[in-house]
Amino acid sequence: MFTLISSLSKSFSYCGENALRSIRMSIKNLASLSRDEVKNLFSSIDTILTDCDGVLWLHMKILPGAPDVLNKFREMGKRVFYITNNNVITREEFCVKCDKLGFTSTKDDVLTTSYLTACYLHDIGFKKKVYVVGTSGISRELSRLGIRSFGVGPDPLISDVATLVMKDFKLDPDVGAVIVGFDEYISYPKILKAASYLNHPDCLFIATNTDERGPSFINDCVIPGTGSMVAAIETCAGRKPFLIGKPSTYIIDAIRKRYNVDPERTLMIGDRCNTDILLGTRCGFKTLLVLSGVNTLDDVMNWKQSDNEEDRGLVPDYYIGKLGDLLPLLT
Ligand SMILES: [Mg+2]
């Protein structure tokens, strides 16, 4: 276990604010660079942080060439971390998924927000109980660190709100935190309970991440993400959560506690600009957007021309159609 909390208050003052203020004047198509330019770029990088869904795979479908590119990075001596806002599975389950899809991984290479949320509570010495709006990925990571929790699974409105409030509702006085992650069983009773616990100012409010939606992978379907669930509870509770996942720099503090990561020699790869790329910008990393997931080149160009400085923090240094397109440039 690595100690995370001590650096929270000073997290990322070393490069974040200045980096965010910087204006990215150019965004380069990596595929249009010469092999020498690509070689020079990667010789200036030791650590690669990669998002997963939309970069390596879409749901359970491998994006062509992605496993070969990660293997190539490792061959080139780069340290590769999987850095995901996924909070539905544990790190071990994540490694099983990697294995099934042909990606090499060990538990130490994987940072999920389910795991990091449990680390956070463990490191602040949290002893009470957690009400979880989320999945067993969170409750199992909590349990491994000896933290009690409940709330996972369906909790539908049985009759009506009046009956729920007057007869069926009772707060557990031992609850000291509410964690909100992805919950396919999100319901009126769950929002009501979470907000009621959060009505007590001492109750911690933690969001694993705030991704609005998942990458669409079937029938042009919009998949509501964790952020949708966090927003519902945040609105009702009238409080802002402490954010664990990208673009919160907490996740990078966690890596820096364990490994010697030099921000200037680190590349962040992602498909979503307001999490992956913004994290990279805040931390002073080089950033690469792949166009195989959430954001498009049109999105990026709009932000690049925006008068809003924060929008320009969403603009990556480089982009490429998909990660697999890098392979011929690396070999
Ligand atoms: Mg993604």
Side-chain angles (χ1 to χ4, degrees), residues 15-24 280-285 313:
C15 58
E17 294 305 315
N18 287 337
L20 189 57
R21 283 191 201 102
S22 73
I23 300 171
R24 294 183 192 279
T281 302
R282 285 176 170 173
C283 295
F285 302 155

Side-chain angles (χ1 to χ4, degrees), residues 63-117:
L63 285 162
D68 301 320
V69 171
L70 292 201
N71 287 338
K72 186 67 189 170
F73 285 155
R74 292 192 183 97
E75 245 180 72
M76 294 162 70
K78 315 300 179 195
R79 179 78 207 239
V80 178
F81 290 96
Y82 300 93
I83 179 169
T84 172
N85 276 353
N86 186 320
N87 57 79
V88 174
I89 54 179
T90 61
R91 286 191 304 164
E92 288 81 357
E93 290 164 339
F94 184 92
C95 289
V96 170
K97 179 173 181 173
C98 281
D99 194 46
K100 270 186 193 164
L101 294 177
F103 294 91
T104 304
S105 68
T106 68
K107 214 169 62 168
D108 285 343
D109 304 330
V110 177
L111 290 169
T112 63
T113 51
S114 46
Y115 168 66
L116 288 170
T117 302

Side-chain angles (χ1 to χ4, degrees), residues 51-55 215 246 271-272 276 294:
D51 177 52
C52 302
D53 218 348
V55 178
K246 299 170 288 185
D271 69 307
R272 185 193 297 264
D276 306 320
V294 172

Side-chain angles (χ1 to χ4, degrees), residues 19-20 22-28 272-274 276-282 285-289 295-306 308-319:
L20 189 57
S22 73
I23 300 171
R24 294 183 192 279
M25 296 307 290
S26 62
I27 167 173
K28 293 178 181 165
R272 185 193 297 264
C273 292
N274 67 358
D276 306 320
I277 302 304
L278 184 56
L279 173 70
T281 302
R282 285 176 170 173
F285 302 155
K286 298 176 176 70
T287 52
L288 169 62
L289 176 71
N295 283 123
T296 66
L297 199 53
D298 282 347
D299 294 333
V300 171
M301 291 309 167
N302 286 336
W303 291 320
K304 187 169 179 288
Q305 289 159 16
S306 169
N308 184 331
E309 201 168 283
E310 286 194 5
D311 282 349
R312 294 197 294 269
L314 304 174
V315 178
D317 298 307
Y318 302 95
Y319 71 91

